[in-house]
Amino acid sequence: MALLPIKTTNRGPAPCLPVSDTADIIDEALYYFKANVFFRTYEIKSESDRVLIYLTLYVTECLKKLQRCSNKNQGLQEMYSLAIARFDIPGEGGFPLNGVYLRPSSPEEADTMRQYFLQLRHETGQRLCEKVFETPDGKPSKWWTCFAKKKFMEKSLGGPGQM
C-alpha cells in the first residue's frame, strides 16, 4: 500500500505536505465521496486507489456517528473516539478488503500500516467534521448525513451488526 503524503498535524508515517490549495488524498476522498459511494465495484489502477477505497469506507463510518451529534464539538469528540477505536488492518480476519490489499510482509510493515491508517482516520475525521457542520445553525448537514446508510462496494468497515 502506498504511503501518500497528506496535509496534517497528526503524527504518523505519512510524509507531511505544507498547507496549500493543492489537494491530498483525503481532500480527494471527501470531494469524490458523494459520487463514489454509489459504486458497487471500483477498478484499482494504482496504489492510491486502495487508499481512496479505505477512506471512502471510513467516511461512511464517520457519517454514521456524525448524524447523531448535535454540534461540531460533539462531532469532533466522536471522530477522535472512532479514529482510536480498535480496527483491523489487511491480513486480519475482520478487515473487509482483504481481497484488495496485500497482507503486510512483516510485523514492522503491519505496524507502519496501522499507524498510517490511524493518521488517515484522525485527519479524515477532522476534515469531514468541518464539512458536515458547515451549516448556519451548527447542526449536521443533511446533504452529508443522508449518505450514512450507503454501502460503498457493498462493504463496511464496521463488523456485521454494527452501526
Side-chain angles (χ1 to χ4, degrees):
M1 185 180 81
L3 283 176
L4 301 172
I6 56 175
K7 297 181 279 190
T8 185
T9 56
N10 297 308
R11 288 189 353 208
C16 291
L17 287 174
V19 176
S20 66
D21 289 339
T22 58
D24 63 3
I25 190 67
I26 296 172
D27 292 331
E28 191 174 319
L30 293 174
Y31 182 78
Y32 291 112
F33 172 78
K34 292 177 182 179
N36 286 348
V37 77
F38 290 105
F39 291 177
R40 288 180 179 266
T41 60
Y42 193 90
E43 183 180 356
I44 297 172
K45 296 181 181 176
S46 69
E47 288 297 311
S48 60
D49 286 337
R50 297 180 205 287
V51 178
L52 189 65
I53 289 169
Y54 181 82
L55 289 175
T56 302
L57 290 173
Y58 184 67
V59 168
T60 304
E61 295 303 311
C62 290
L63 289 173
K64 289 176 188 176
K65 297 281 187 185
L66 289 174
Q67 71 182 356
R68 290 183 251 143
C69 296
S70 58
N71 59 48
K72 185 176 174 181
N73 286 336
Q74 186 183 5
L76 287 169
Q77 288 174 346
E78 284 291 328
M79 292 301 90
Y80 179 79
S81 296
L82 184 61
I84 63 171
R86 188 197 177 290
F87 59 92
D88 293 314
I89 61 170
E92 294 178 353
F95 191 71
L97 300 167
N98 277 327
V100 176
Y101 283 85
L102 292 175
R103 166 185 230 124
S105 59
S106 68
E108 293 79 24
E109 188 178 334
D111 187 49
T112 301
M113 188 177 284
R114 187 173 299 281
Q115 290 175 14
Y116 182 57
F117 279 155
L118 182 65
Q119 189 178 15
L120 286 173
R121 289 164 71 102
H122 275 295
E123 190 63 33
T124 303
Q126 290 170 357
R127 291 193 206 174
L128 180 61
C129 218
E130 295 296 325
K131 291 187 177 295
V132 169
F133 289 97
E134 196 175 52
T135 58
D137 63 356
K139 302 266 188 255
S141 167
K142 66 180 180 181
W143 303 115
W144 275 97
T145 58
C146 67
F147 291 95
K149 289 183 174 33
K150 296 288 179 197
K151 278 193 166 187
F152 175 59
M153 296 174 52
E154 301 298 319
K155 305 261 187 219
S156 171
L157 289 182
Q162 291 182 348
M163 284 211 40

